[in-house]
Amino acid sequence: MSFIAIIPARLASSRLPDKPLADLEGKPMVVRTAERALASGAREVVVATDHADIVVACEAFGIPVCLTRADHPSGTDRIAEVAARMELPADAVIVNVQGDEPLIDPDLIAATAALINAATPMATAAHPLHEAPDVFNPNVVKVVLDKMQRALYFSRATIPWHRDAFAQQRDQLPAGYRPLRHIGLYAYRNDFLQMYPQLPVSPLEQIEALEQLRVLWHGYPIAVHVTATAPAPGVDTPEDLLRVRRIFQQMR
């Protein structure tokens, strides 16, 4: 499967200022993420950013980078701009790799890209949950699938709800019950990616604050690659950054 990885990287961050430029053993986080994307077999990796400082940082390490408009409401809009400027064909496969995932598994990127075909314009990933606190945590987004491994629904709620078991207790999961946690990695056909930002916002998306529900609301399928294990942690907070820095130190 031939695909391109585009990495949206916005300089501003409310919880961790200048996050894409955070140092990880001598390289900025966004560069570390790009290196993981390159290891996935992507035929091209491009960083899409709103700030000249990120352009300079990427160019210093030979990472292709594109300066985009600053007013994009989401990373999806940002990568759509870059894909359009690259004049990619309609059937090109594009993977959105978040710029704060410097430990992302390259195989996960490739497996998600491989799900895209003429009938499947969008794909993502998930993994089983094993601990009750995660299953009941609204900050852990869950997804349920149909028999074709396509998403039926994404939610912050506990889905599917195990009626009988949860009526008895909720401090441990019943045998055989393994809900899926959604992993925020997306692949698209380019023609769908260009159309996606134009789709009207859906009520479900507003209620759950989950942008991917817009796709299901408008009737488009999302294929889901299920991986057996949870991915390595991303970086959202200063505490996350310290944890990831320790991991990189151990990888010397």
Side-chain angles (χ1 to χ4, degrees):
M1 164 67 72
S2 175
F3 65 93
I4 294 168
I6 302 181
I7 303 171
R10 190 170 62 92
L11 189 68
S13 172
S14 58
R15 289 185 286 184
L16 187 58
D18 299 344
K19 180 168 64 171
L21 300 178
D23 181 77
L24 294 175
E25 287 296 294
K27 294 182 180 179
M29 184 188 307
V30 67
V31 170
R32 292 291 189 185
T33 303
E35 291 175 340
R36 301 293 280 185
L38 284 165
S40 71
R43 65 179 176 88
E44 194 169 355
V45 174
V46 181
V47 171
T49 185
D50 65 343
H51 203 281
D53 287 354
I54 296 177
V55 173
V56 171
C58 289
E59 289 179 341
F61 289 93
I63 301 297
V65 59
C66 181
L67 186 63
T68 69
R69 289 167 29 205
D71 60 348
H72 285 303
S74 72
T76 308
D77 297 84
R78 195 173 308 282
I79 70 168
E81 178 191 338
V82 173
R85 288 166 62 177
M86 293 173 69
E87 298 183 342
L88 298 174
D91 62 352
V93 177
I94 298 162
V95 182
N96 180 348
V97 180
Q98 298 300 314
D100 55 8
E101 297 282 350
L103 294 170
I104 191 168
D105 181 0
D107 290 341
L108 183 62
I109 297 173
T112 304
L115 297 179
I116 300 297
N117 55 49
T120 308
M122 182 172 171
T124 189
H127 71 86
L129 289 169
H130 300 278
E131 303 296 332
D134 292 330
V135 173
F136 293 102
N137 183 350
N139 293 317
V140 176
V141 177
K142 277 71 70 174
V143 58
V144 291
L145 311 181
D146 65 14
K147 68 178 182 178
M148 303 295 290
Q149 297 293 94
R150 296 172 303 196
L152 288 170
Y153 192 65
F154 298 86
S155 183
R156 299 182 182 279
T158 303
I159 56 172
W161 182 262
H162 202 302
R163 188 196 65 173
D164 295 340
F166 292 158
Q168 301 300 318
Q169 57 84 29
R170 300 180 191 175
D171 58 352
Q172 61 183 13
L173 302 182
Y177 174 75
R178 289 292 177 266
L180 296 174
R181 171 185 169 247
H182 177 232
I183 300 169
L185 174 71
Y186 298 100
Y188 311 86
R189 272 176 54 105
N190 186 38
D191 52 1
F192 181 76
L193 175 62
Q194 298 305 321
M195 179 187 66
Y196 178 49
Q198 312 307 319
L199 291 174
V201 173
S202 74
L204 292 177
E205 171 188 358
Q206 293 176 311
I207 291 169
E208 296 258 19
L210 297 174
E211 184 181 315
Q212 65 270 31
L213 287 173
R214 185 186 315 178
V215 179
L216 299 183
W217 173 267
H218 288 284
Y220 296 96
I222 302 176
V224 181
H225 169 73
V226 178
T227 181
T229 57
V235 178
D236 289 319
T237 66
E239 293 75 21
D240 294 337
L241 179 58
L242 289 174
R243 181 172 62 249
V244 170
R245 278 177 170 160
R246 286 194 293 268
I247 293 173
F248 271 92
Q249 290 168 358
Q250 294 166 2
M251 293 166 58
R252 287 178 183 173

